[in-house]
Amino acid sequence: MFRTALRNVLAHKARLLMTVLAVMLGVAFVSGTLVFTNTISDAYQKSSAKGFDRVDVAVRAQYQHSEGDRVGKDPELTQALLDKAAKVPGAASATGVVSGFTAVADKDGKLLGGDWQSAGGNYWGTQDPRYPLVSGHAPHGRGEVLLDSRTAERAGYKVGDTVRVSVDGPVLEPTVSGIFTTDDGNVAAGGSLALFDTPTAQSLFGKKGTYDEIDVRAAAGTTQGALKAALDKALPAKLVETTTGKQLADDQAETIASSMSGLKQGLLVFAGIALFVGTFIIANTFTMLVAQRTRELALLRAVGASRRQVTRSVLIEAFAVGAVAGVTGLAAGVGIGAGLRSLLGSFGAAMPDGPLVITPGTVATALAVGVLITMLAAWLPGRRAAKIPPVAAMSSVHAKATAKSLVLRNTLGALFAAAGIAVVLAATSMDGSDGQAPMGIGAVLLIIGVFILTPLLSRPLIAAAAPVLRAFGVSGKLARQNSVRNPRRTAATASALMIGLTLITGMTVMAGSLQTAIDKMASSAIRADYVVSMANRGPLSPDVEKKIAATDGVTLSSPLRNAESRIDGETEYLTGVNGAAIGKLTDLKVDDGSFTVGGTRVVVDKDRAKSFGWKAGSRFTAHFEDGKARQLTVAGVYEGNDMLNGIILDNKTLTPHLSDPSDMQVMVKTADGASAAARDSLEKALGTNPAIKVQDKQDISNEIGQMFTMMLNMLYGLLGMAVIVAVLGVINTLAMSVFERAQEIGMLRAIGLDRKAVKRMVRLESLVISLFGGVLGIGLGVFFGWAAGQLLGTKMPTYELVLPWARIAVFLLLAGAVGVLAALWPARRAARLNMLTAIKAE
């Protein structure tokens, strides 16, 4: 049986080619994902580990958690603590570390290093072992700064040049006093690092006289553990916590691995979809191969082969196919992993240098996936063939499914579909977070139900195309009959395309609806002409709002200043505003009371009012970070949104309680409204700062929309793999169907059907099957898009369903194009059949 199985594989090489390709693509996706994520993770881990080489023990402030009416905060790492750490037995030296966001502009005034990877810090004394100088000298005062060598090379800066930098808003123009090298992983990944002397860094980052961290080096002969024990004994345990350099490196490696796991899981989901689609092709292929060899298998049974041996022979064939697909898929996956890494570099998302990582786990996973998926998909056709009695197989009385099996299948499918619809509809009435899991379960049940019902659905839906097919004469009539001749095969072929289009359509509907909701939110919630914020969404200096207010043409402005407080034993964040202007800069719907902010009068969003049981006129006591408390009165309850929510009070009330006030953004209204001149005036008033964004309402919507568009395009690309696999499935089914119907095609040719008509017949059959899958996929996608939108609507009041008709039409055309392209080779093969040879074929 083993030799028989291998001979069958070799005898049907061409017919198994598409199956091998389908499995290979899925395996390549899986192994490519593992190679890519392992390579990035390894590069970052090694790079970050280098950064801890010079740290034996790190001393950090231990956050004081909020309790009762006390607002928690970090204790300060003072110079006295630094001096004490440096004198601990076993300590060779102690370095105070200060860090924060620092934007560096290139010579054209554009931001270097990206919004999130632009960092700054302090250079320790005249020499700092962390950052070896390549040229120049240590910085002194606010007028000098050091740049990392990669940033300096990228922007063309050298010692003595003036560079524009910004920490929290105001522009600084220090001189580059020196260039240094660093092992910082963010710098290696394309970020920037600027260093000031310690007093300047402390002043710029709001850490006057204090540090973010104290790094202690161990003296010769002292272990990290011994040094940590000595520091724990000498320093106040309630205020600080100590961590060894090894533990820091391990924690960082774990963090990197954790951050990469999300990307890995996301990519593997799409690889799984491609493999799932591939199972339809495998099952279809082996079903057709087994059907073509029914008499051969019956003869084996007749001469003594058992059911198990017949099933085993089919599984051996599947194992051979899966092994070949696994090996070739692994090789292709290594190429994909390397390609993705290069692609990131071409988009400017550089990463630390490192070798391509191919772990034994990746190899084992690729081979296991290829073999297991193929064998699982082939098991059912093999088992079905083994159950056919030899005499029945030889006389082909088994060919048609019994009425009992069809009734059972349709009943089961109806139950699954009904359960799926019921669960999805129930989930739409739940809260956004509570309904996610039920909706996912319902979606899976519905897809399974539709897949089971696809043979039943194929007849009426394909019959609907009959009027169009009649226009193609005999070819159209034959194509319609062929497409419903074997409903199960048609269903399996169409389902592969259906799954891909379901996901693509569903995400497109959600993305379009979300974009509309965001546009509505921005236009309805904000009356301000502009919103000013930092590029990294970090805190703005209060000086920014002062400069904006003094700018010609600005009529109103209000900073949004966040602060932590304790209310009724709960932590709540307050938003400080310009009470006199905020009502004219926003347009929030008030459900109770009035939108009046000033003195002790505040407004709260509906969710918090419900949580605390407040209404207009309610009073509560807020405890601030300085330990003082104040009684506040609710003037109104408004409907919050993602742009503005929470407890809003006047800055004149909030700011006196803050030790280091900072703003998240500033709302601005100008005399002439949003215009190029007004934007230019604001940007010039802020020093044409690369770290600050001046955005109107459309800019805010577009920025969020760009994120959706980028994610959607990425998802299209990832799901494209499933569509390609589906195309291979259509090609494979048609090619094997042509082989199976060779005698029939020969007879049609003999009675007058010419080659063009044969080609047209196969193409129309392919087109009908693909459009059938496309219609099902688009229908399910719209339903899932609507259902997911109902969940989002509970968190986003402006959400409403928007059907992208133009894109839906494109997807339908795509399904049709898949059918036309997939039929090219099978149609050509059918037309070239020799009619006499075909008539004699068995």
Side-chain angles (χ1 to χ4, degrees):
M1 295 303 293
F2 179 77
R3 288 197 299 271
T4 302
L6 292 182
R7 283 173 182 169
N8 280 321
V9 171
L10 296 174
H12 301 121
K13 294 190 292 292
R15 296 182 223 173
L16 291 169
L17 177 62
M18 295 300 171
T19 302
V20 171
L21 283 174
V23 180
M24 185 200 76
L25 285 173
V27 172
F29 208 154
V30 171
S31 53
T33 295
L34 296 175
V35 169
F36 173 61
T37 52
N38 287 341
T39 297
I40 293 180
S41 182
D42 182 73
Y44 271 109
Q45 285 177 16
K46 287 180 178 177
S47 179
S48 64
K50 290 180 182 177
F52 297 115
D53 286 348
R54 299 183 181 89
V55 180
D56 289 313
V57 179
V59 180
R60 294 171 175 171
Q62 187 162 281
Y63 178 73
Q64 305 299 299
H65 294 281
S66 302
E67 293 179 359
D69 295 330
R70 183 177 59 81
V71 176
K73 59 181 180 179
D74 287 334
E76 295 180 335
L77 299 181
T78 62
Q79 184 65 39
L81 274 174
L82 174 66
D83 294 338
K84 196 170 186 178
K87 296 176 182 177
V88 165
S93 63
T95 303
V97 178
V98 185
S99 59
F101 172 77
T102 302
V104 179
D106 63 17
K107 291 186 176 181
D108 295 325
K110 295 180 180 179
L111 180 66
L112 287 166
D115 297 353
W116 306 98
Q117 293 179 318
S118 302
N122 66 314
Y123 189 79
W124 192 250
T126 57
Q127 288 187 342
D128 192 330
R130 299 173 299 169
Y131 309 111
L133 285 176
V134 175
S135 60
H137 59 81
H140 299 288
R142 296 176 72 94
E144 292 186 341
V145 67
L146 294 178
L147 291 181
D148 70 88
S149 56
R150 291 180 186 237
T151 299
E153 182 180 357
R154 198 162 69 241
Y157 285 123
K158 59 183 184 297
V159 175
D161 288 347
T162 299
V163 60
R164 294 167 60 79
V165 300
S166 175
V167 171
D168 60 358
V171 176
L172 305 173
E173 294 189 341
T175 300
V176 178
S177 67
I179 310 292
F180 64 92
T181 59
T182 178
D183 293 323
D184 190 300
N186 283 331
V187 173
S192 65
L193 181 60
L195 301 177
F196 306 90
D197 67 10
T198 297
T200 301
Q202 289 174 325
S203 174
L204 291 174
F205 299 132
K207 300 284 183 181
K208 292 183 180 179
T210 64
Y211 303 96
D212 294 305
E213 181 177 306
I214 297 172
D215 293 341
V216 186
R217 292 298 305 275
T222 303
T223 64
Q224 289 186 354
L227 179 58
K228 180 183 184 304
L231 287 166
D232 286 340
K233 186 177 179 180
L235 302 180
K238 292 183 179 180
L239 297 180
V240 301
E241 57 182 2
T242 59
T243 312
T244 63
K246 183 181 182 306
Q247 186 61 50
L248 287 173
D250 292 343
D251 291 345
Q252 183 73 5
E254 187 176 337
T255 300
I256 292 169
S258 176
S259 65
M260 291 305 302
S261 68
L263 174 63
K264 181 185 293 185
Q265 289 171 7
L267 291 173
L268 287 176
V269 164
F270 290 97
I273 292 169
L275 285 166
F276 182 60
V277 171
T279 59
F280 293 114
I281 299 175
I282 301 164
N284 241 6
T285 302
F286 277 92
T287 298
M288 295 172 77
L289 283 175
V290 167
Q292 292 166 14
R293 290 162 39 212
T294 299
R295 292 188 179 182
E296 174 191 325
L297 294 174
L299 183 60
L300 289 172
R301 290 287 312 282
V303 297
S306 65
R307 286 184 179 183
R308 286 186 178 181
Q309 285 177 311
V310 171
T311 304
R312 197 180 302 136
S313 71
V314 176
L315 292 178
I316 291 170
E317 291 179 50
F319 176 84
V321 171
V324 171
V327 171
T328 53
L330 175 61
V334 172
I336 289 173
L340 286 174
R341 180 178 174 180
S342 299
L343 188 64
L344 280 182
S346 66
F347 286 150
M351 67 177 207
D353 296 328
L356 206 63
V357 178
I358 307 169
T359 64
T362 299
V363 175
T365 300
L367 296 176
V369 165
V371 170
L372 289 176
I373 290 291
T374 310
M375 291 183 70
L376 284 173
W379 174 75
L380 190 59
R383 183 173 177 271
R384 192 183 298 139
K387 290 174 70 176
I388 300 170
V391 175
M394 287 182 180
S395 58
S396 298
V397 298
H398 66 288
K400 293 184 179 179
T402 63
K404 181 180 178 182
S405 70
L406 290 175
V407 169
L408 179 62
R409 177 180 181 128
N410 293 337
T411 303
L412 190 63
L415 289 173
F416 268 99
I421 292 172
V423 174
V424 168
L425 292 177
T428 60
S429 62
M430 299 179 183
D431 183 69
S433 54
D434 295 336
Q436 290 177 3
M439 183 164 290
I441 294 169
V444 171
L445 290 173
L446 179 54
I447 288 175
I448 292 172
V450 171
F451 168 64
I452 296 172
L453 287 173
T454 306
L456 178 67
L457 297 172
S458 64
R459 290 187 178 277
L461 288 177
I462 292 175
V468 178
L469 293 173
R470 284 197 198 102
F472 296 95
V474 175
S475 296
K477 184 178 180 181
L478 290 170
R480 184 179 65 80
Q481 292 174 347
N482 289 333
S483 58
V484 295
R485 177 186 296 183
N486 191 329
R488 292 189 179 188
R489 185 185 303 167
T490 298
T493 306
S495 295
L497 189 59
M498 177 192 78
I499 290 169
L501 283 179
T502 296
L503 295 169
I504 289 173
T505 305
M507 289 186 300
T508 303
V509 170
M510 283 184 60
S513 301
L514 278 170
Q515 181 61 63
T516 303
I518 291 162
D519 290 341
K520 281 188 175 183
M521 186 188 298
S523 60
S524 63
I526 301 175
R527 288 182 184 172
D529 296 315
Y530 292 101
V531 175
V532 178
S533 62
M534 290 292 287
N536 70 331
R537 299 298 178 191
L540 278 166
S541 167
D543 291 340
V544 171
E545 195 273 334
K546 293 176 182 176
K547 289 184 178 181
I548 289 172
T551 303
D552 291 338
V554 172
T555 57
L556 291 171
S557 66
S558 173
L560 269 62
R561 187 167 296 168
N562 285 358
E564 187 179 347
S565 71
R566 295 286 287 179
I567 299 171
D568 292 345
E570 300 287 335
T571 297
E572 282 293 333
Y573 284 88
L574 310 174
T575 300
V577 297
N578 179 346
I582 193 65
K584 298 174 183 177
L585 293 168
T586 58
D587 190 15
L588 299 168
K589 182 182 177 183
V590 179
D591 294 335
D592 183 21
S594 62
F595 200 88
T596 305
V597 179
T600 60
R601 294 172 67 80
V602 304
V603 291
V604 300
D605 68 352
K606 190 164 59 176
D607 290 342
R608 281 168 181 77
K610 182 179 179 181
S611 174
F612 285 100
W614 295 336
K615 59 183 180 179
S618 296
R619 294 184 178 183
F620 63 92
T621 301
H623 298 266
F624 301 97
E625 69 172 45
D626 63 354
K628 296 180 181 178
R630 191 152 186 186
Q631 191 176 68
L632 303 174
T633 303
V634 177
V637 178
Y638 67 94
E639 290 188 8
N641 54 49
D642 288 342
M643 302 187 74
L644 196 62
N645 56 52
I647 301 170
I648 300 175
L649 73 164
D650 199 309
N651 272 325
K652 291 178 182 177
T653 304
L654 176 63
T655 305
H657 299 286
L658 306 180
S659 58
D660 185 25
S662 60
D663 305 324
M664 296 310 296
Q665 56 188 18
V666 179
M667 290 184 172
V668 185
K669 197 166 186 63
T670 60
D672 300 326
S675 65
R679 185 194 297 268
D680 187 57
S681 178
L682 285 171
E683 288 178 346
K684 285 182 178 177
L686 296 171
T688 317
N689 194 327
I692 291 182
K693 293 181 179 179
V694 179
Q695 298 175 298
D696 60 20
K697 287 182 278 191
Q698 192 57 50
D699 292 332
I700 294 170
S701 294
N702 290 344
E703 184 178 57
I704 300 171
Q706 283 175 357
M707 293 168 55
F708 285 124
T709 302
M710 183 176 69
M711 288 177 63
L712 197 60
N713 289 337
M714 287 175 61
L715 294 174
Y716 282 164
L718 294 169
L719 286 171
M721 182 70 74
V723 175
I724 291 171
V725 173
V727 172
L728 293 176
V730 178
I731 295 172
N732 208 29
T733 301
L734 287 173
M736 297 187 74
S737 180
V738 166
F739 178 84
E740 196 176 63
R741 302 193 327 247
Q743 189 177 57
E744 175 189 319
I745 292 169
M747 289 294 293
L748 289 170
R749 289 290 315 282
I751 61 175
L753 199 68
D754 60 18
R755 289 187 174 183
K756 285 186 178 179
V758 170
K759 283 185 179 180
R760 193 181 304 123
M761 176 186 71
V762 176
R763 287 171 184 163
L764 288 173
E765 180 183 348
S766 176
L767 182 63
V768 167
I769 292 172
S770 297
L771 286 176
F772 169 54
V775 168
L776 285 180
I778 290 170
L780 284 173
V782 170
F783 176 70
F784 290 141
W786 166 82
Q790 293 297 107
L791 276 185
L792 288 172
T794 62
K795 297 292 185 182
M796 188 179 287
T798 55
Y799 185 90
E800 66 178 41
L801 180 67
V802 176
L803 293 179
W805 294 110
R807 290 204 177 190
I808 288 175
V810 169
F811 296 154
L812 198 57
L813 288 173
L814 174 66
V818 165
V820 172
L821 291 173
L824 291 178
W825 177 58
R828 184 169 178 269
R829 183 181 177 189
R832 293 181 66 183
L833 284 174
N834 183 291
M835 67 179 76
L836 295 178
T837 305
I839 289 171
K840 290 188 293 182
E842 292 187 7

